[in-house]
């Protein structure tokens, strides 16, 4: 089965051999307080910073998922309220989880066709502005320069960006925001069970001044441990090892971006040629580079997903409000050109 699911997604083909290597070398029972773990952790962070162009003064923390990172942010980086900008299911969920922890937090929702306009935002009483760079549920994205203009308009606030389905797939200007979060089962081409939380020095300062210490994953505690490249609990050491191996092998993010964008343009042009399905997102300026959402009649979408599955091609289900009338295709780096050709051939045979 070739997976085009936008998470958990197709793994890099090298993963099985890296797993064997891990088993042989004792990584699977490596103590997380040992100097071997510290060396692995250091190496992983070094590769992440180098390959993804993360500024040197940013901190990288290991978490278990993107969802855990949402809660860490709500607990440890917000005293009273955050403002959540969203146009889809993941952004809304982030807001809902945060709202349970910080009930004064508020939401600003916008249309999936809308280019987010910072001039319309009123964020002056929020400490933190949260947005989803790539909304996996509907295949839209917020461009780097938009994030930059939000930062310029609100210099006092912290900006937090969920880049779960785009980090390692396209170049993100990390210095445009204070907090970035992701998990590795999307563009990293790795098995689930590991998340990343990336923080600017300004975010670290805020965490230390808020000094929230009620949880095993309170940020001051994570900072304390990360000073020696460790974690507050026994982490997913295999996941960290696989991340290190993958990051050591992938090209620089500028190269990856070029391929991702070419493939995305190709997918969008491809679907424009069919009458029976449409692209979910009409506004080209907000279409995602990493998740392509295609819309049609409910029965037709169900039929095409089934047929694809029978031919060994796994399409992503629709999500949230678009669960039944869309399917999604991951445009993640681990997918090969040959696999894309196969899927396009399938569509040419089965779509009119
Ligand atoms: C997949 C996804 C999440 C959830 O990731 P977990 O690792 O399952 O917590 C959050 N945000 C976005 C944008 C996602 O695509």
């Amino acid at each position: 089965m070739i997976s085009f699911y936008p998470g958990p997604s197709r793994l890099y083909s090298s993963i099985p051999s890296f797993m064997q290597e891990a088993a042989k070398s004792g990584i699977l029972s490596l103590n997380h307080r040992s100097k071997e773990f510290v060396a692995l952790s250091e190496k992983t962070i070094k590769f992440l910073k180098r390959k993804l162009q993360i500024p040197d003064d940013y901190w990288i923390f290991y978490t278990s998922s993107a969802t855990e990172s949402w809660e860490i942010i709500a607990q440890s980086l917000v005293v009273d309220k955050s403002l959540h900008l969203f146009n889809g299911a993941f952004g809304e969920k982030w807001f809902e989880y945060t709202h349970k922890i910080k009930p004064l937090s508020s939401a600003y929702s916008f249309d999936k066709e809308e280019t987010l306009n910072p001039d319309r935002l009123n964020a002056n009483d929020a400490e933190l502005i949260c947005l989803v760079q790539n909304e996996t549920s509907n295949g839209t994205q917020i461009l780097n320069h938009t994030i930059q203009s939000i930062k310029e308009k609100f210099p006092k606030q912290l900006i937090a960006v969920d880049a779960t389905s785009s980090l390692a797939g396209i170049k993100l200007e990390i210095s445009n925001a204070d907090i970035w979060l992701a998990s590795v089962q999307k563009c990293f081409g790795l098995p689930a069970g590991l998340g990343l939380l990336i923080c600017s020095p300004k975010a670290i300062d805020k965490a230390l001044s808020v000094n929230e210490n009620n949880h095993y994953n309170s940020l001051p505690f994570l900072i304390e441990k990360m000073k020696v490249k460790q974690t507050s609990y026994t982490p997913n050491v295999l996941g960290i090892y696989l991340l290190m191996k993958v990051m050591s092998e992938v090209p620089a993010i500028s190269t990856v971006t070029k391929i991702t964008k070419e493939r995305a343009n190709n997918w969008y042009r491809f679907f424009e040629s069919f009458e029976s399905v449409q692209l979910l997102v009409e506004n080209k300026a907000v279409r995602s580079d990493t998740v392509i959402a295609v819309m049609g009649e409910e029965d037709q979408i169900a039929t095409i997903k089934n047929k694809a599955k029978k031919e060994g091609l796994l399409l992503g289900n629709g999500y949230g409000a678009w669960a039944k009338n869309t399917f999604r295709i991951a445009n993640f780096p681990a997918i090969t050109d040959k696999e894309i050709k196969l899927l396009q051939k399938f569509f040419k045979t089965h779509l009119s």
Side-chain angles (χ1 to χ4, degrees):
M1 187 69 74
I2 304 167
S3 177
F4 290 89
Y5 222 102
S9 51
R10 189 203 191 288
L11 305 181
Y12 277 109
S13 304
S14 48
I15 298 294
S17 69
F18 292 156
M19 288 182 79
Q20 271 179 339
E21 236 179 83
K24 273 192 211 140
S25 64
I27 289 289
L28 300 184
S29 40
L30 188 62
N31 186 306
H32 62 297
R33 303 285 174 233
S34 68
K35 67 177 195 308
E36 290 82 3
F37 174 80
V38 169
L40 167 62
S41 172
E42 258 168 9
K43 215 165 155 184
T44 309
I45 290 167
K46 187 187 79 185
F47 281 132
L48 280 168
K49 284 191 168 172
R50 187 188 295 165
K51 291 293 173 71
L52 303 182
Q53 292 186 22
I54 298 169
D56 226 21
D57 57 353
Y58 275 56
W59 291 56
I60 302 178
F61 302 96
Y62 306 112
T63 65
S64 54
S65 66
T67 306
E68 189 196 354
S69 302
W70 288 344
E71 289 213 340
I72 294 172
I73 294 167
Q75 286 164 189
S76 298
L77 286 165
V78 182
V79 179
D80 291 316
K81 62 180 292 185
S82 51
L83 172 68
H84 295 253
L85 320 177
F86 58 82
N87 70 0
F90 284 101
E92 188 171 15
K93 237 194 216 177
W94 186 3
F95 167 64
E96 284 164 3
Y97 283 124
T98 303
H99 194 256
K100 287 184 198 174
I101 298 171
K102 296 287 145 83
L104 297 176
S105 293
S106 58
Y108 172 92
S109 67
F110 57 102
D111 191 84
K112 69 169 169 52
E113 299 297 334
E114 191 183 330
T115 309
L116 190 59
N117 181 354
D119 292 333
R120 293 221 199 110
L121 301 175
N122 184 349
N124 291 325
D125 63 340
E127 302 149 59
L128 174 74
I129 302 171
C130 300
L131 57 99
V132 178
Q133 193 278 322
N134 195 73
E135 178 50 78
T136 323
S137 67
N138 58 20
T140 58
Q141 71 171 328
I142 298 173
L143 300 176
N144 282 317
H145 69 79
T146 306
I147 300 176
Q148 186 182 0
S149 48
I150 295 173
K151 184 187 166 71
E152 282 165 4
K153 183 148 191 238
F154 301 102
K156 287 204 202 90
Q157 282 84 343
L158 292 175
I159 316 281
V161 183
D162 179 335
T164 305
S165 56
S166 52
L167 189 69
I170 56 163
K171 170 93 200 289
L172 298 167
E173 286 301 338
I174 301 297
S175 61
N176 286 344
D178 300 289
I179 302 136
W180 294 83
L181 64 97
S183 43
V184 299
Q185 74 275 18
K186 311 228 169 142
C187 287
F188 286 91
L190 287 161
L194 182 66
L196 295 171
L197 178 65
I198 303 169
C199 293
S200 70
K202 184 176 158 190
I204 299 294
D205 287 348
K206 167 114 186 192
L208 294 175
S209 74
V210 174
N211 200 25
E212 180 278 316
N213 276 302
N214 295 334
H215 304 272
Y216 77 98
N217 57 6
S218 291
L219 200 44
F221 194 21
L222 303 189
I223 292 169
E224 199 50 45
K225 290 294 178 194
M226 191 41 76
K227 282 182 184 161
V228 287
K229 301 292 183 294
Q230 292 184 18
T231 52
S232 64
Y233 59 93
T234 316
N236 180 349
V237 180
L238 173 61
I240 294 170
Y241 177 79
L242 296 175
L243 175 60
M244 184 278 287
K245 294 298 279 186
V246 162
M247 280 293 108
S248 76
E249 284 204 346
V250 293
I253 192 65
S254 52
T255 308
V256 175
T257 306
K258 207 167 151 263
I259 299 166
T260 302
K261 284 185 184 278
E262 271 168 18
R263 287 174 166 185
N265 289 339
N266 175 285
W267 270 124
Y268 286 123
R269 268 198 312 273
F270 179 81
F271 280 111
E272 272 162 2
S273 67
F274 296 103
E275 298 265 309
S276 60
V277 290
Q278 300 87 47
L279 290 161
L280 174 62
V281 182
E282 285 173 43
N283 180 1
K284 289 183 181 166
V286 300
R287 279 181 187 161
S288 166
D289 288 316
T290 51
V291 179
I292 319 294
V294 181
M295 179 172 64
E297 298 293 332
E298 283 189 16
D299 338 344
Q300 185 201 12
I301 294 294
T303 310
I304 201 83
K305 282 190 300 192
N306 281 333
K307 277 188 187 157
K309 202 167 174 183
K310 283 198 189 110
E311 299 201 11
L313 301 161
L314 184 65
L315 299 176
N317 288 332
Y319 198 97
W322 301 278
K324 293 234 168 79
N325 66 343
T326 63
F327 61 78
R328 294 172 302 155
I329 300 170
N331 182 35
F332 294 167
I335 296 167
T336 67
D337 286 330
K338 202 172 142 209
E339 290 164 344
I340 294 170
K341 286 213 178 81
L342 256 176
L343 184 57
Q344 294 194 339
K345 195 171 156 218
F346 167 83
F347 286 131
K348 277 185 192 151
T349 318
H350 294 280
L351 289 179
S352 52

